[in-house]
Structure formats: C-alpha cells, structure tokens
C-alpha cells in the first residue's frame, strides 16, 4: 500500500480518490471499495478509498451527520486492511487529527477550513499525508500558504491540493482551470474534486443541489489541464444516499468514465 506522489504520477496514470460521501454502513463501504478496487487495479490507476466518518458541515439541523465517529473510523480502517488500500477522511477540528490518524492514511482538510492554521498544524503533526481542499473563496496561488503551514510542522509531509470550484453568486460554483497549474507550481500533486465542484449550495430547501451530468466534463478538462488526481463521490444509488446524493456519480458509471479519462491522460502526457 503506497500513496501516490509526484514521482509516481508524473509520467503515468492519474490517481483516484473515491467513495461515498459519508460512511453509511460497513456493507456499503465494502461494496463500493470492492468494485472500485477491482476496476482501478485492472486499469493500473492508484486508488485511495474515501469516506467521511462525520459530516460536520450540514445545512439543516436534522441532516445526517454519521453513524458515530469510532464505528465509522473502524469501518475505514477495516476497508483499508481488507483491500490493502490507503484511506482518506475529513477532519474538522484540531482535536480530531490524532484520533482520525489512528485509522486512516490521509487526513483531509475541508475547503471551508483550509485557512485554519491550528487544524493544518495538527494534521501535519500526525505524520499522515494531508489533502487540503482549496476554499471556494481562494485562488490557486493563495494555497501556497496552506502548504507552507503543513510543511513547517512536518517538512517530510505528503501534501495534496484539491480544487472544488469557486463561489459564484449565492447558489453556484464555477471551476477556474487556472488553479490547477497554479497549485501544481508548489510541487505537490493536484486533484480535481469533480463532484463537489458541481454542487448548488445554499438552496432554499436546505438541501444542496448538484449537476452530476457534468461530472465527465469537469473530469476530462481537469486531466487535460494537468491534474494528477481525480476525486469523485459515488454511490450505487445516489437517490438514497444519506449525504450529497444530488451531485454523486452512480457507481455503475464510474468504470466507463475512468476509461475515457485514461485516454485523455495518455493524450496529454
């Protein structure tokens, strides 16, 4: 089990971070991991299993937030061990870093929290890899300082930067592909979050919307403009997903998308 880095992805295939938005159950996590692990192995795509052990940023008070921190983290650890896969999950406060690091290989900093110095420092101090999502209010160039905060605490840290679009008006996001080469200039792998970048936040219903039909468009453009990795949330049936179903990719569509992205990657290398 080895995490992708610039050396391993520079001249080869992109890597994939994918899974359901939240850990809903052990059975679902294993179903998703098994199917994606098989297709990525067949294609030679490095794969990191993703699942949030808790959803801290929800619009409504009664929104699903998780099945419990430790039960969800234990599922993540079990998935990683069973399939020999690295795993990634979000953390939201400094105190969560050490706890989550006992179970996963990559700690993810949510976009809204990418400027939180104490959170970045706590993640770096665990010795785990850190995936920092670019804030919807940030430029690619400004993410240099987030990388510096992590490297200050751990000069040997593996750091990823993930774009997920920029705020546009009150209920939409727009992807600016200038951010990919700008963030790649910091000598870290750059990932495109192809599902969250298509969110329609701040809906009057209190439930975030999305445009999943454009996932392929966002992903192809990201690979074409130099992204090293792709982040996709997927579910066997997004309509019944407990979190972010409106912008997820149906699991049975993932393999076909990856095949197309491999062709784009080969063309631009």
């Amino acid at each position: 089990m080895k995490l992708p880095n610039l050396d391993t992805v520079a001249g080869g295939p992109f890597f994939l971070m994918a899974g359901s938005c939240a850990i809903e159950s052990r059975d679902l996590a294993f179903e998703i991991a098994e199917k994606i692990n098989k297709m990525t192995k067949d294609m030679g795509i490095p794969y990191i299993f993703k699942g949030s052990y808790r959803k801290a940023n929800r619009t409504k008070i009664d929104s699903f937030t998780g099945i419990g921190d430790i039960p969800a983290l234990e599922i993540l650890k079990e998935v990683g061990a069973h399939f020999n896969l690295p795993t990634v999950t979000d953390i939201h406060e400094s105190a969560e870093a050490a706890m989550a690091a006992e179970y996963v290989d990559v700690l993810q900093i949510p976009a809204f929290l990418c400027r939180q110095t104490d959170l970045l420092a706590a993640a770096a101090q665990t010795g785990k890899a850190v995936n920092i999502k670019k804030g919807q209010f940030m430029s690619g160039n400004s993410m240099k300082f987030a990388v510096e905060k992590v490297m200050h605490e751990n000069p040997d840290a593996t750091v990823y930067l993930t774009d997920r679009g920029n705020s546009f008006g009150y209920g939409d996001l727009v992807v600016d592909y200038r951010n990919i080469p700008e963030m790649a200039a910091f000598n870290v792998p750059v990932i495109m979050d192809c599902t969250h970048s298509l969110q329609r936040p701040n809906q009057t219903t209190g439930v975030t919307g999305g445009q999943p039909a454009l996932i392929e468009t966002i992903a192809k453009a990201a690979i074409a403009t130099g992204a090293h990795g792709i982040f996709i949330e997927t579910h066997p049936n997004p309509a019944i997903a407990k979190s972010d179903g409106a912008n997820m990719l149906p699991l049975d569509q993932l393999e076909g998308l990856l095949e197309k992205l491999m062709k784009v990657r080969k063309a631009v290398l």
Side-chain angles (χ1 to χ4, degrees), residues 2-266:
K2 185 176 181 181
L3 286 170
N5 57 45
L6 277 180
D7 291 336
T8 61
V9 301
F14 60 89
F15 64 95
L16 177 69
M17 283 188 181
S20 62
C21 179
I23 296 296
E24 299 180 18
S25 70
R26 181 185 183 278
D27 287 348
L28 179 65
F30 267 71
E31 177 185 355
I32 293 172
E34 182 175 20
K35 290 181 177 178
I36 302 179
N37 185 47
K38 183 182 186 307
M39 66 179 76
T40 52
K41 275 189 174 180
D42 290 345
M43 296 184 209
I45 298 172
Y47 173 44
I48 301 172
F49 177 80
K50 184 268 172 185
S52 295
Y53 71 88
R54 172 157 39 96
K55 301 303 296 182
N57 177 24
R58 302 287 87 189
T59 302
K60 297 169 65 177
I61 188 64
D62 60 351
S63 295
F64 174 80
T65 58
I67 61 173
D69 291 357
I70 300 304
L73 286 166
E74 287 177 341
I75 290 170
L76 280 161
K77 186 173 183 177
E78 191 177 357
V79 166
H82 183 83
F83 295 103
N84 193 31
L85 289 172
T87 54
V88 56
T89 198
D90 318 72
I91 59 172
H92 317 91
E93 299 180 13
S94 302
E96 297 176 21
M99 175 185 71
E102 295 293 321
Y103 298 88
V104 300
D105 305 286
V106 184
L107 299 177
Q108 182 167 282
I109 308 300
F112 285 131
L113 302 176
C114 68
R115 286 172 52 94
Q116 298 298 107
T117 302
D118 289 349
L119 181 60
L120 290 163
Q125 289 164 6
T126 66
K128 297 291 183 175
V130 182
N131 180 32
I132 313 170
K133 286 199 168 183
K134 183 186 73 62
Q136 301 91 325
F137 44 87
M138 303 278 284
S139 69
N141 282 326
S142 63
M143 291 301 292
K144 173 180 72 171
F145 305 107
V147 175
E148 288 178 351
K149 289 175 182 179
V150 172
M151 300 304 289
H152 179 268
E153 298 296 325
N154 179 8
D156 298 321
T158 296
V159 181
Y160 305 108
L161 289 177
T162 298
D163 192 6
R164 54 147 301 159
N166 283 79
S167 297
F168 183 76
Y170 291 107
D172 206 356
L173 297 169
V174 170
V175 176
D176 181 350
Y177 287 96
R178 293 177 297 180
N179 289 322
I180 292 177
E182 286 178 359
M183 294 193 295
F186 309 140
N187 294 314
V188 299
V190 174
I191 303 165
M192 172 55 74
D193 182 340
C194 303
T195 44
H196 289 100
S197 61
L198 290 166
Q199 281 185 332
R200 289 281 179 84
N202 303 318
Q203 301 297 306
T204 56
T205 60
V207 179
T208 297
Q211 294 178 290
L214 291 175
I215 290 172
E216 181 176 322
T217 301
I218 295 292
K220 285 178 176 177
I223 295 298
T225 50
H228 306 98
I230 294 292
F231 179 109
I232 291 179
E233 288 188 341
T234 184
H235 194 284
N237 185 359
I240 63 171
K242 294 183 178 180
S243 178
D244 280 0
N247 51 268
M248 278 192 192
L249 183 74
L251 183 57
D252 62 6
Q253 296 179 19
L254 180 60
E255 186 170 7
L257 174 60
L258 294 178
E259 289 172 348
K260 293 176 182 178
L261 297 181
M262 288 289 283
K263 292 177 182 178
V264 177
R265 177 70 170 166
K266 184 178 179 180

